[in-house]
């Protein structure tokens, strides 16, 4: 069995700035070793540890879908040391990657169901993975509704794809920003409020929520109020991590390790982890 501490080598194939300040950048990475590419299997919701030699390692949600086999996509918000080093990367550079890590969104349970996807800010990464995955087998699912919020229009990631998704008549795609700005023709208001307004009936619907902790904290009760049972609400949690494989104890909350028991948890599970938020 491969040693899960040893990173695989990945080559930077494409870099795209997602916002005018260039603090959010998307990286498409390809496998240097073809046999490692073949062996790498993942599902939407999982994450990887990306490392820069001599600098450090950080976890990032996988933004590509398993149905896009040519590359692994990550979107990186520059916040500190490792993320700044990632932002210095150029096409052709080599990085380390350990993964896939953690669990995934319950894609099998979504078959034959309506799916509600609620996201905020740059945490839309794994939700992009999920949405592409669902759309690639569109007939397997009933209605798909997406609610995506950001502080302002510049901070939406994957803007070109959003424009395409909004044109499709087999998804309901709602965008919202916190405060009105000139020229904005979509919704205005916080994600929990918009969820209250546009969420589909909870009947036969599975809800996935991923975003900043404050957004998750206020959106989950709205879904409960709308009648979604705890077993059909899922969210993805973030904590500082080190090993990513349940060894170091860094990501522990209550009796769980976010890196192996999560990052995806149902609301029913979260009820037993009061420290989650
Ligand atoms: C499962 C998981 C998935 C993630 N997915 C993404 C992703 O897709 N894109 C992305 O940009 N980031 C993601 N993150 C967060 C990312 O891992 C951190 O921003 C990164 O580790 C910061 O490293 P740094 O060395 O640049 O920052 P540091 O120099 O270590 O810290 C800089 C600042 O960032 C804060 N910080 C560091 N780590 C975290 C964290 N895990 N959560 C909140 N604040 C943190 C620190 O408190 C400090 O204020 C994810 C984290 C987890 C656990
Ligand atoms: S990051 Fe080490 S136990 Fe989770």
């Amino acid at each position: 069995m491969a040693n899960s501490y040893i990173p695989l080598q990945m080559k930077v194939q494409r870099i795209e700035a997602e916002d005018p300040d260039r603090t959010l950048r998307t990286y498409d990475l390809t496998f240097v070793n073809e046999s490692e590419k073949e062996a790498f299997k993942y599902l939407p919701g999982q994450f990887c540890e990306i490392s820069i030699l001599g600098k450090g390692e950080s976890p990032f949600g996988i933004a590509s879908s398993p149905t896009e086999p040519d590359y692994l996509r990550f979107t990186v918000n520059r916040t500190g040391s490792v993320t700044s080093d990632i932002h210095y990367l150029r096409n052709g550079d080599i990085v380390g990657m350990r993964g896939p890590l953690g669990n995934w969104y319950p894609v099998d349970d979504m078959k034959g169901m309506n799916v509600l996807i609620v996201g905020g800010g740059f945490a839309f990464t794994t939700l992009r993975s999920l949405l592409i995955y669902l759309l690639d087998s569109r007939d397997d699912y009933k209605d798909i509704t997406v609610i995506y919020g950001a502080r302002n229009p510049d901070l939406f990631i994957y803007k070109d794809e959003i424009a395409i998704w909004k044109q499709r008549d087999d998804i309901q795609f709602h965008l919202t920003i916190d405060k009105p700005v000139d020229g904005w023709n979509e919704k205005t208001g916080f994600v929990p409020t918009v969820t209250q307004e546009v969420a589909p009936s909870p009947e036969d619907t599975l809800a996935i929520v991923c975003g900043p902790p404050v957004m998750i904290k206020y959106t989950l009760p709205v879904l409960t109020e709308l009648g979604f049972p705890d077993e059909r609400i899922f969210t993805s949690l973030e904590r500082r991590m080190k090993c990513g494989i349940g060894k170091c104890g860094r990501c522990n909350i209550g009796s769980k390790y976010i890196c192996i028991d999560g990052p995806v948890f149902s609301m029913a599970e979260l009820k037993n982890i009061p420290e989650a938020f």
Side-chain angles (χ1 to χ4, degrees):
M1 206 174 92
N3 183 333
S4 36
Y5 288 105
I6 299 181
L8 309 181
Q9 286 189 66
M10 304 291 290
K11 186 190 265 192
V12 178
Q13 200 67 39
R14 189 186 74 99
I15 305 173
E16 186 166 337
E18 296 284 351
D19 64 327
D21 292 344
R22 307 173 78 80
T23 54
L24 290 164
R25 291 188 196 192
T26 293
Y27 296 83
D28 287 354
L29 307 181
T30 52
F31 288 82
V32 169
N33 183 324
E34 193 62 28
S35 65
E36 289 170 352
K37 175 183 174 185
E38 295 307 317
F40 190 91
K41 305 283 178 229
Y42 69 100
L43 283 170
Q46 292 195 274
F47 67 96
C48 293
E49 290 274 352
I50 306 284
S51 54
I52 308 282
L53 192 63
K55 302 287 188 175
E57 192 181 45
S58 274
F60 299 98
I62 307 175
S64 48
S65 159
T67 54
E68 298 170 308
D70 292 340
Y71 54 85
L72 283 186
R73 181 168 292 175
F74 299 92
T75 298
V76 177
N77 180 36
R78 193 181 63 226
T79 50
S81 133
V82 174
T83 49
S84 295
D85 285 326
I86 292 175
H87 274 229
Y88 288 131
L89 291 170
R90 295 287 170 261
N91 283 332
D93 285 348
I94 303 291
V95 297
M97 192 269 299
R98 290 192 298 125
L101 302 170
N103 66 356
W104 47 87
Y105 297 127
V107 286
D108 284 340
D109 297 346
M110 292 177 194
K111 289 200 174 127
M113 302 274 286
N114 304 309
V115 182
L116 168 64
I117 294 174
V118 184
F122 66 87
F124 202 75
T125 52
T126 56
L127 297 180
R128 176 198 181 272
S129 172
L130 175 64
L131 184 56
I132 299 277
Y133 185 86
L134 300 182
L135 292 176
D136 280 340
S137 306
R138 183 65 189 90
D139 292 347
D140 288 352
Y141 311 95
K142 286 160 73 178
D143 294 348
I144 299 178
T145 307
V146 182
I147 300 166
Y148 181 20
R151 279 205 312 280
N152 66 59
D154 286 341
L155 296 179
F156 288 107
I157 56 177
Y158 318 136
K159 294 178 190 67
D160 291 349
E161 287 182 310
I162 290 174
I164 295 167
W165 292 327
K166 281 199 67 74
Q167 300 279 323
R168 290 180 67 134
D169 54 14
D170 58 351
I171 340 171
Q172 303 294 316
F173 205 108
H174 304 278
L175 291 174
T176 185
I177 56 170
D178 290 359
K179 290 184 196 147
V181 295
D182 285 347
W184 179 250
N185 299 319
E186 306 284 339
K187 294 193 175 298
T188 303
F190 294 118
V191 165
T193 314
V194 174
T195 303
Q196 204 150 27
E197 283 167 24
V198 305
S201 152
E203 199 170 327
D204 290 342
T205 306
L206 214 143
I208 307 290
V209 182
C210 186
V214 66
M215 185 210 95
I216 296 177
K217 181 176 171 169
Y218 290 104
T219 302
L220 296 182
V222 167
L223 293 172
T224 303
E225 225 171 87
L226 289 169
F228 284 79
D230 291 346
E231 295 72 24
R232 281 198 268 118
I233 305 175
F234 293 83
T235 190
S236 184
L237 297 184
E238 247 194 45
R239 281 294 183 283
R240 299 299 299 258
M241 287 186 186
K242 214 154 187 72
C243 69
I245 52 173
K247 302 287 186 204
C248 73
R250 180 73 189 263
C251 67
N252 161 259
I253 47 166
S255 61
K256 305 280 184 194
Y257 291 127
I258 304 293
C259 67
I260 50 170
D261 299 313
V264 177
F265 292 93
S266 72
M267 182 85 171
E269 291 172 296
L270 288 181
K271 288 232 159 118
N272 298 318
I273 322 175
E275 307 92 327
F277 296 105

